[in-house]
Amino acid sequence: MSEKLITINTVNLINNCPECFSTKGLQLTFKQRFIETIFYKSITQEVSTEMNCVVCHTEIYPARWTDDIERIYNYQMKAFQPKKSSKKYKSLFWILFTVLVLSLAAVITFLVYNYL
Ligand SMILES: [Zn+2]
């Protein structure tokens, strides 16, 4: 099973970067957790965010946020529309599923003919 965070949306913020004070660098990235197994691919409702400054190449952790950043962050969080969680079965799953159903049917047929 593999898990990864995929980027859904990136928003440019006009707030001052707490590190370099540039107003052109802050970016808020929204990610959702994506799970892949041999049987299915699934996107979860788990959203995680990251804030980076592209001017000074620093990740801005919540501890460094100013009130303004916090306000815009809350606003962006409300505006963000996560992708609906979904699960997609791969063909291996359907092949095994079909084999299982067919062998079950065969076993039942065998039992019915021989013991009833
Ligand atoms: Zn910066």
Side-chain angles (χ1 to χ4, degrees):
M1 191 171 106
S2 74
E3 277 192 27
K4 58 184 170 206
L5 290 168
I6 52 170
T7 299
I8 307 295
N9 197 11
T10 303
V11 186
N12 293 310
L13 306 179
I14 51 157
N15 298 70
N16 284 94
C17 168
E19 302 295 334
C20 68
F21 304 105
S22 167
T23 52
K24 294 184 182 71
L26 281 190
Q27 276 188 346
L28 180 62
T29 307
F30 292 92
K31 295 177 177 189
Q32 267 175 270
R33 192 173 295 284
F34 180 83
I35 297 170
E36 181 162 8
T37 71
I38 54 166
F39 293 124
Y40 65 85
K41 290 177 176 181
S42 157
I43 186 160
T44 68
Q45 284 296 86
E46 200 183 317
V47 176
S48 79
T49 55
E50 228 174 62
M51 201 179 292
N52 286 287
C53 175
V54 294
V55 172
C56 63
H57 303 287
T58 313
E59 181 167 357
I60 313 297
Y61 295 101
R64 299 284 292 138
W65 292 359
T66 61
D67 289 348
D68 277 346
I69 293 177
E70 210 165 302
R71 210 169 301 135
I72 204 83
Y73 173 82
N74 289 332
Y75 171 78
Q76 293 290 349
M77 273 305 265
K78 275 192 202 113
F80 175 65
Q81 303 238 315
K83 279 193 190 300
K84 280 207 172 74
S85 56
S86 69
K87 206 177 209 181
K88 241 197 188 131
Y89 288 101
K90 296 183 181 179
S91 47
L92 179 64
F93 172 83
W94 292 116
I95 291 165
L96 288 179
F97 181 77
T98 310
V99 167
L100 191 77
V101 168
L102 289 179
S103 39
L104 216 72
V107 168
I108 291 167
T109 311
F110 176 82
L111 291 177
V112 166
Y113 275 96
N114 290 282
Y115 297 102
L116 293 177

